[in-house]
PDB file of all heavy atoms in Angstrom:
ATOM      1  N   MET A   1      25.129 -26.654  -8.148  1.00 58.00           N
ATOM      2  CA  MET A   1      24.356 -25.798  -7.245  1.00 58.00           C
ATOM      3  C   MET A   1      25.101 -25.674  -5.914  1.00 58.00           C
ATOM      4  O   MET A   1      25.368 -26.673  -5.246  1.00 58.00           O
ATOM      5  CB  MET A   1      22.973 -26.420  -7.012  1.00 58.00           C
ATOM      6  CG  MET A   1      22.117 -25.668  -6.025  1.00 58.00           C
ATOM      7  SD  MET A   1      20.444 -26.366  -5.899  1.00 58.00           S
ATOM      8  CE  MET A   1      20.771 -28.077  -5.548  1.00 58.00           C
ATOM      9  N   GLY A  14      14.750 -32.823  10.221  1.00 91.00           N
ATOM     10  CA  GLY A  14      13.829 -33.959  10.203  1.00 91.00           C
ATOM     11  C   GLY A  14      12.497 -33.627  10.833  1.00 91.00           C
ATOM     12  O   GLY A  14      11.777 -32.739  10.380  1.00 91.00           O
ATOM     13  N   GLY A  23      17.009 -13.988   5.608  1.00 88.00           N
ATOM     14  CA  GLY A  23      17.093 -12.590   5.209  1.00 88.00           C
ATOM     15  C   GLY A  23      16.954 -12.412   3.710  1.00 88.00           C
ATOM     16  O   GLY A  23      16.845 -13.395   2.965  1.00 88.00           O
ATOM     17  N   ARG A  37      11.713 -31.968  -1.158  1.00 94.00           N
ATOM     18  CA  ARG A  37      12.282 -33.120  -1.892  1.00 94.00           C
ATOM     19  C   ARG A  37      12.945 -34.106  -0.923  1.00 94.00           C
ATOM     20  O   ARG A  37      12.792 -35.325  -1.047  1.00 94.00           O
ATOM     21  CB  ARG A  37      13.310 -32.584  -2.903  1.00 94.00           C
ATOM     22  CG  ARG A  37      14.034 -33.647  -3.691  1.00 94.00           C
ATOM     23  CD  ARG A  37      15.140 -32.998  -4.485  1.00 94.00           C
ATOM     24  NE  ARG A  37      15.850 -33.943  -5.326  1.00 94.00           N
ATOM     25  CZ  ARG A  37      16.866 -33.614  -6.117  1.00 94.00           C
ATOM     26  NH1 ARG A  37      17.277 -32.356  -6.159  1.00 94.00           N
ATOM     27  NH2 ARG A  37      17.468 -34.521  -6.841  1.00 94.00           N
ATOM     28  N   ALA A  43      13.379 -39.137   3.689  1.00 93.00           N
ATOM     29  CA  ALA A  43      12.600 -39.477   4.894  1.00 93.00           C
ATOM     30  C   ALA A  43      11.387 -40.345   4.546  1.00 93.00           C
ATOM     31  O   ALA A  43      10.661 -40.786   5.438  1.00 93.00           O
ATOM     32  CB  ALA A  43      12.147 -38.202   5.603  1.00 93.00           C
ATOM     33  N   GLY A  75       1.700 -34.524  -5.917  1.00 90.00           N
ATOM     34  CA  GLY A  75       0.891 -34.844  -4.749  1.00 90.00           C
ATOM     35  C   GLY A  75       1.093 -33.894  -3.599  1.00 90.00           C
ATOM     36  O   GLY A  75       0.249 -33.792  -2.710  1.00 90.00           O
ATOM     37  N   TYR A  95     -18.872 -26.445  -0.380  1.00 93.00           N
ATOM     38  CA  TYR A  95     -18.816 -25.169  -1.096  1.00 93.00           C
ATOM     39  C   TYR A  95     -18.217 -25.379  -2.487  1.00 93.00           C
ATOM     40  O   TYR A  95     -17.415 -26.292  -2.705  1.00 93.00           O
ATOM     41  CB  TYR A  95     -17.922 -24.170  -0.346  1.00 93.00           C
ATOM     42  CG  TYR A  95     -18.544 -23.538   0.873  1.00 93.00           C
ATOM     43  CD1 TYR A  95     -17.794 -23.399   2.048  1.00 93.00           C
ATOM     44  CD2 TYR A  95     -19.845 -23.055   0.872  1.00 93.00           C
ATOM     45  CE1 TYR A  95     -18.332 -22.807   3.176  1.00 93.00           C
ATOM     46  CE2 TYR A  95     -20.396 -22.463   1.994  1.00 93.00           C
ATOM     47  CZ  TYR A  95     -19.637 -22.349   3.154  1.00 93.00           C
ATOM     48  OH  TYR A  95     -20.180 -21.764   4.262  1.00 93.00           O
ATOM     49  N   PHE A 121     -19.885  11.462   1.845  1.00 68.00           N
ATOM     50  CA  PHE A 121     -18.456  11.166   1.762  1.00 68.00           C
ATOM     51  C   PHE A 121     -17.973  11.670   0.412  1.00 68.00           C
ATOM     52  O   PHE A 121     -18.454  11.227  -0.633  1.00 68.00           O
ATOM     53  CB  PHE A 121     -18.193   9.656   1.867  1.00 68.00           C
ATOM     54  CG  PHE A 121     -18.542   9.076   3.209  1.00 68.00           C
ATOM     55  CD1 PHE A 121     -19.762   8.445   3.413  1.00 68.00           C
ATOM     56  CD2 PHE A 121     -17.652   9.151   4.264  1.00 68.00           C
ATOM     57  CE1 PHE A 121     -20.090   7.903   4.645  1.00 68.00           C
ATOM     58  CE2 PHE A 121     -17.968   8.602   5.506  1.00 68.00           C
ATOM     59  CZ  PHE A 121     -19.176   7.982   5.700  1.00 68.00           C
ATOM     60  N   LEU A 195     -10.848 -32.164  12.410  1.00 97.00           N
ATOM     61  CA  LEU A 195      -9.487 -31.682  12.687  1.00 97.00           C
ATOM     62  C   LEU A 195      -8.494 -32.835  12.588  1.00 97.00           C
ATOM     63  O   LEU A 195      -7.446 -32.720  11.935  1.00 97.00           O
ATOM     64  CB  LEU A 195      -9.434 -31.053  14.080  1.00 97.00           C
ATOM     65  CG  LEU A 195      -8.039 -30.679  14.610  1.00 97.00           C
ATOM     66  CD1 LEU A 195      -7.355 -29.674  13.686  1.00 97.00           C
ATOM     67  CD2 LEU A 195      -8.122 -30.119  16.030  1.00 97.00           C
ATOM     68  N   PHE A 232       7.558 -26.215   9.869  1.00 98.00           N
ATOM     69  CA  PHE A 232       8.824 -25.679   9.356  1.00 98.00           C
ATOM     70  C   PHE A 232       8.532 -24.277   8.825  1.00 98.00           C
ATOM     71  O   PHE A 232       7.933 -24.113   7.770  1.00 98.00           O
ATOM     72  CB  PHE A 232       9.317 -26.601   8.240  1.00 98.00           C
ATOM     73  CG  PHE A 232      10.672 -26.289   7.671  1.00 98.00           C
ATOM     74  CD1 PHE A 232      11.824 -26.822   8.228  1.00 98.00           C
ATOM     75  CD2 PHE A 232      10.799 -25.497   6.531  1.00 98.00           C
ATOM     76  CE1 PHE A 232      13.079 -26.571   7.670  1.00 98.00           C
ATOM     77  CE2 PHE A 232      12.038 -25.238   5.971  1.00 98.00           C
ATOM     78  CZ  PHE A 232      13.180 -25.787   6.548  1.00 98.00           C
ATOM     79  N   ASP A 258       6.754 -20.534  21.999  1.00 96.00           N
ATOM     80  CA  ASP A 258       5.647 -21.472  21.756  1.00 96.00           C
ATOM     81  C   ASP A 258       6.166 -22.888  21.508  1.00 96.00           C
ATOM     82  O   ASP A 258       5.488 -23.868  21.829  1.00 96.00           O
ATOM     83  CB  ASP A 258       4.824 -21.013  20.543  1.00 96.00           C
ATOM     84  CG  ASP A 258       4.102 -19.691  20.785  1.00 96.00           C
ATOM     85  OD1 ASP A 258       3.902 -19.350  21.969  1.00 96.00           O
ATOM     86  OD2 ASP A 258       3.752 -19.012  19.800  1.00 96.00           O
ATOM     87  N   ALA A 324      20.430  10.134 -13.987  1.00 96.00           N
ATOM     88  CA  ALA A 324      21.052   8.906 -13.470  1.00 96.00           C
ATOM     89  C   ALA A 324      20.499   7.676 -14.192  1.00 96.00           C
ATOM     90  O   ALA A 324      21.245   6.742 -14.502  1.00 96.00           O
ATOM     91  CB  ALA A 324      20.813   8.801 -11.964  1.00 96.00           C
ATOM     92  N   ARG A 349       3.721  10.041  -8.708  1.00 88.00           N
ATOM     93  CA  ARG A 349       3.340  11.008  -9.735  1.00 88.00           C
ATOM     94  C   ARG A 349       4.483  11.852 -10.284  1.00 88.00           C
ATOM     95  O   ARG A 349       4.677  11.906 -11.509  1.00 88.00           O
ATOM     96  CB  ARG A 349       2.213  11.930  -9.220  1.00 88.00           C
ATOM     97  CG  ARG A 349       1.703  12.902 -10.281  1.00 88.00           C
ATOM     98  CD  ARG A 349       1.015  14.108  -9.676  1.00 88.00           C
ATOM     99  NE  ARG A 349       1.831  14.825  -8.726  1.00 88.00           N
ATOM    100  CZ  ARG A 349       2.786  15.701  -9.056  1.00 88.00           C
ATOM    101  NH1 ARG A 349       3.063  15.931 -10.322  1.00 88.00           N
ATOM    102  NH2 ARG A 349       3.486  16.318  -8.128  1.00 88.00           N
ATOM    103  N   LEU A 368      -1.646   3.149  -9.900  1.00 74.00           N
ATOM    104  CA  LEU A 368      -1.347   4.512  -9.474  1.00 74.00           C
ATOM    105  C   LEU A 368      -2.622   5.348  -9.501  1.00 74.00           C
ATOM    106  O   LEU A 368      -3.249   5.491 -10.548  1.00 74.00           O
ATOM    107  CB  LEU A 368      -0.286   5.126 -10.403  1.00 74.00           C
ATOM    108  CG  LEU A 368       0.120   6.560 -10.139  1.00 74.00           C
ATOM    109  CD1 LEU A 368       0.694   6.727  -8.750  1.00 74.00           C
ATOM    110  CD2 LEU A 368       1.139   7.016 -11.174  1.00 74.00           C
ATOM    111  N   ASN A 370      -4.917   8.458  -9.903  1.00 82.00           N
ATOM    112  CA  ASN A 370      -4.734   9.728 -10.614  1.00 82.00           C
ATOM    113  C   ASN A 370      -5.151  10.854  -9.677  1.00 82.00           C
ATOM    114  O   ASN A 370      -6.342  11.062  -9.430  1.00 82.00           O
ATOM    115  CB  ASN A 370      -5.588   9.735 -11.887  1.00 82.00           C
ATOM    116  CG  ASN A 370      -5.301  10.963 -12.727  1.00 82.00           C
ATOM    117  OD1 ASN A 370      -4.640  11.905 -12.274  1.00 82.00           O
ATOM    118  ND2 ASN A 370      -5.792  10.955 -13.953  1.00 82.00           N
ATOM    119  N   GLU A 373      -7.945  13.193 -10.369  1.00 86.00           N
ATOM    120  CA  GLU A 373      -9.341  12.755 -10.289  1.00 86.00           C
ATOM    121  C   GLU A 373      -9.855  12.782  -8.847  1.00 86.00           C
ATOM    122  O   GLU A 373     -11.002  12.407  -8.590  1.00 86.00           O
ATOM    123  CB  GLU A 373      -9.481  11.343 -10.883  1.00 86.00           C
ATOM    124  CG  GLU A 373      -9.337  11.359 -12.400  1.00 86.00           C
ATOM    125  CD  GLU A 373      -9.281   9.973 -13.016  1.00 86.00           C
ATOM    126  OE1 GLU A 373      -9.372   8.981 -12.252  1.00 86.00           O
ATOM    127  OE2 GLU A 373      -9.121   9.883 -14.234  1.00 86.00           O
ATOM    128  N   LYS A 378     -10.952  18.030  -8.505  1.00 93.00           N
ATOM    129  CA  LYS A 378     -12.165  18.362  -9.282  1.00 93.00           C
ATOM    130  C   LYS A 378     -12.747  19.707  -8.863  1.00 93.00           C
ATOM    131  O   LYS A 378     -13.251  20.465  -9.698  1.00 93.00           O
ATOM    132  CB  LYS A 378     -13.198  17.247  -9.130  1.00 93.00           C
ATOM    133  CG  LYS A 378     -12.799  15.981  -9.896  1.00 93.00           C
ATOM    134  CD  LYS A 378     -13.798  14.863  -9.685  1.00 93.00           C
ATOM    135  CE  LYS A 378     -13.393  13.643 -10.494  1.00 93.00           C
ATOM    136  NZ  LYS A 378     -14.251  12.473 -10.220  1.00 93.00           N
ATOM    137  N   ARG A 388     -13.062  30.659 -16.757  1.00 90.00           N
ATOM    138  CA  ARG A 388     -12.684  30.862 -18.158  1.00 90.00           C
ATOM    139  C   ARG A 388     -13.835  30.652 -19.135  1.00 90.00           C
ATOM    140  O   ARG A 388     -13.753  31.068 -20.287  1.00 90.00           O
ATOM    141  CB  ARG A 388     -11.555  29.892 -18.528  1.00 90.00           C
ATOM    142  CG  ARG A 388     -10.234  30.260 -17.891  1.00 90.00           C
ATOM    143  CD  ARG A 388      -9.240  29.093 -17.861  1.00 90.00           C
ATOM    144  NE  ARG A 388      -9.018  28.520 -19.167  1.00 90.00           N
ATOM    145  CZ  ARG A 388      -9.189  27.237 -19.454  1.00 90.00           C
ATOM    146  NH1 ARG A 388      -9.622  26.399 -18.532  1.00 90.00           N
ATOM    147  NH2 ARG A 388      -8.943  26.783 -20.664  1.00 90.00           N
ATOM    148  N   LEU A 422     -28.757  35.474 -10.147  1.00 90.00           N
ATOM    149  CA  LEU A 422     -28.513  35.251  -8.712  1.00 90.00           C
ATOM    150  C   LEU A 422     -28.825  36.510  -7.911  1.00 90.00           C
ATOM    151  O   LEU A 422     -29.432  36.454  -6.836  1.00 90.00           O
ATOM    152  CB  LEU A 422     -27.041  34.855  -8.479  1.00 90.00           C
ATOM    153  CG  LEU A 422     -26.676  33.387  -8.657  1.00 90.00           C
ATOM    154  CD1 LEU A 422     -25.174  33.189  -8.520  1.00 90.00           C
ATOM    155  CD2 LEU A 422     -27.393  32.512  -7.632  1.00 90.00           C
ATOM    156  N   VAL A 455      -4.236  28.407  -8.592  1.00 95.00           N
ATOM    157  CA  VAL A 455      -4.492  27.464  -7.486  1.00 95.00           C
ATOM    158  C   VAL A 455      -4.197  28.160  -6.161  1.00 95.00           C
ATOM    159  O   VAL A 455      -4.926  28.005  -5.182  1.00 95.00           O
ATOM    160  CB  VAL A 455      -3.660  26.173  -7.650  1.00 95.00           C
ATOM    161  CG1 VAL A 455      -3.827  25.268  -6.425  1.00 95.00           C
ATOM    162  CG2 VAL A 455      -4.067  25.417  -8.913  1.00 95.00           C
ATOM    163  N   LYS A 473     -11.988  18.424   9.873  1.00 83.00           N
ATOM    164  CA  LYS A 473     -12.292  18.366  11.310  1.00 83.00           C
ATOM    165  C   LYS A 473     -13.672  17.763  11.558  1.00 83.00           C
ATOM    166  O   LYS A 473     -13.868  16.980  12.481  1.00 83.00           O
ATOM    167  CB  LYS A 473     -12.186  19.756  11.928  1.00 83.00           C
ATOM    168  CG  LYS A 473     -10.740  20.190  12.150  1.00 83.00           C
ATOM    169  CD  LYS A 473     -10.636  21.603  12.659  1.00 83.00           C
ATOM    170  CE  LYS A 473      -9.162  22.009  12.825  1.00 83.00           C
ATOM    171  NZ  LYS A 473      -9.029  23.463  13.044  1.00 83.00           N
ATOM    172  N   TYR A 509      -1.332  12.624 -19.360  1.00 86.00           N
ATOM    173  CA  TYR A 509      -1.048  11.837 -18.155  1.00 86.00           C
ATOM    174  C   TYR A 509      -2.161  10.811 -17.904  1.00 86.00           C
ATOM    175  O   TYR A 509      -1.904   9.652 -17.618  1.00 86.00           O
ATOM    176  CB  TYR A 509      -0.919  12.783 -16.959  1.00 86.00           C
ATOM    177  CG  TYR A 509      -0.536  12.104 -15.654  1.00 86.00           C
ATOM    178  CD1 TYR A 509       0.693  11.478 -15.504  1.00 86.00           C
ATOM    179  CD2 TYR A 509      -1.412  12.106 -14.571  1.00 86.00           C
ATOM    180  CE1 TYR A 509       1.045  10.860 -14.315  1.00 86.00           C
ATOM    181  CE2 TYR A 509      -1.066  11.489 -13.366  1.00 86.00           C
ATOM    182  CZ  TYR A 509       0.168  10.876 -13.255  1.00 86.00           C
ATOM    183  OH  TYR A 509       0.513  10.262 -12.067  1.00 86.00           O
ATOM    184  N   HIS A 512      -1.839   8.037 -20.306  1.00 81.00           N
ATOM    185  CA  HIS A 512      -0.705   7.175 -19.963  1.00 81.00           C
ATOM    186  C   HIS A 512      -1.102   6.201 -18.854  1.00 81.00           C
ATOM    187  O   HIS A 512      -0.741   5.021 -18.889  1.00 81.00           O
ATOM    188  CB  HIS A 512       0.498   8.020 -19.517  1.00 81.00           C
ATOM    189  CG  HIS A 512       1.801   7.333 -19.744  1.00 81.00           C
ATOM    190  ND1 HIS A 512       2.583   7.573 -20.849  1.00 81.00           N
ATOM    191  CD2 HIS A 512       2.450   6.392 -19.009  1.00 81.00           C
ATOM    192  CE1 HIS A 512       3.665   6.813 -20.792  1.00 81.00           C
ATOM    193  NE2 HIS A 512       3.621   6.088 -19.676  1.00 81.00           N
ATOM    194  N   ALA A 578      18.190  -3.903  -3.945  1.00 96.00           N
ATOM    195  CA  ALA A 578      19.296  -3.551  -4.849  1.00 96.00           C
ATOM    196  C   ALA A 578      20.371  -4.625  -4.850  1.00 96.00           C
ATOM    197  O   ALA A 578      20.786  -5.094  -3.792  1.00 96.00           O
ATOM    198  CB  ALA A 578      19.894  -2.212  -4.429  1.00 96.00           C
ATOM    199  N   ILE A 584      19.904   6.706  -2.473  1.00 97.00           N
ATOM    200  CA  ILE A 584      18.905   7.163  -1.501  1.00 97.00           C
ATOM    201  C   ILE A 584      18.837   8.685  -1.589  1.00 97.00           C
ATOM    202  O   ILE A 584      19.828   9.372  -1.358  1.00 97.00           O
ATOM    203  CB  ILE A 584      19.284   6.727  -0.068  1.00 97.00           C
ATOM    204  CG1 ILE A 584      19.388   5.195   0.014  1.00 97.00           C
ATOM    205  CG2 ILE A 584      18.264   7.247   0.937  1.00 97.00           C
ATOM    206  CD1 ILE A 584      19.874   4.668   1.353  1.00 97.00           C
ATOM    207  N   GLU A 602      20.015   8.606   9.854  1.00 93.00           N
ATOM    208  CA  GLU A 602      20.958   9.293  10.751  1.00 93.00           C
ATOM    209  C   GLU A 602      22.319   8.602  10.830  1.00 93.00           C
ATOM    210  O   GLU A 602      23.373   9.222  10.623  1.00 93.00           O
ATOM    211  CB  GLU A 602      20.337   9.378  12.153  1.00 93.00           C
ATOM    212  CG  GLU A 602      20.945  10.473  13.010  1.00 93.00           C
ATOM    213  CD  GLU A 602      20.169  10.650  14.315  1.00 93.00           C
ATOM    214  OE1 GLU A 602      18.967  10.981  14.261  1.00 93.00           O
ATOM    215  OE2 GLU A 602      20.778  10.416  15.359  1.00 93.00           O
ATOM    216  N   GLU A 606      25.910   9.944   9.402  1.00 86.00           N
ATOM    217  CA  GLU A 606      27.057  10.115  10.310  1.00 86.00           C
ATOM    218  C   GLU A 606      28.282   9.396   9.758  1.00 86.00           C
ATOM    219  O   GLU A 606      29.389   9.934   9.766  1.00 86.00           O
ATOM    220  CB  GLU A 606      26.712   9.550  11.699  1.00 86.00           C
ATOM    221  CG  GLU A 606      25.898  10.500  12.556  1.00 86.00           C
ATOM    222  CD  GLU A 606      25.464   9.861  13.869  1.00 86.00           C
ATOM    223  OE1 GLU A 606      26.018   8.790  14.232  1.00 86.00           O
ATOM    224  OE2 GLU A 606      24.571  10.430  14.521  1.00 86.00           O
TER     225      GLU A 606
END
Side-chain angles (χ1 to χ4, degrees):
M1 176 175 54
R37 177 188 183 180
Y95 283 137
F121 294 97
L195 172 59
F232 185 88
D258 294 339
R349 184 202 55 80
L368 178 60
N370 187 348
E373 288 172 1
K378 288 177 178 174
R388 288 161 55 235
L422 276 175
V455 174
K473 283 175 182 168
Y509 184 65
H512 206 97
I584 301 175
E602 201 172 299
E606 279 175 14

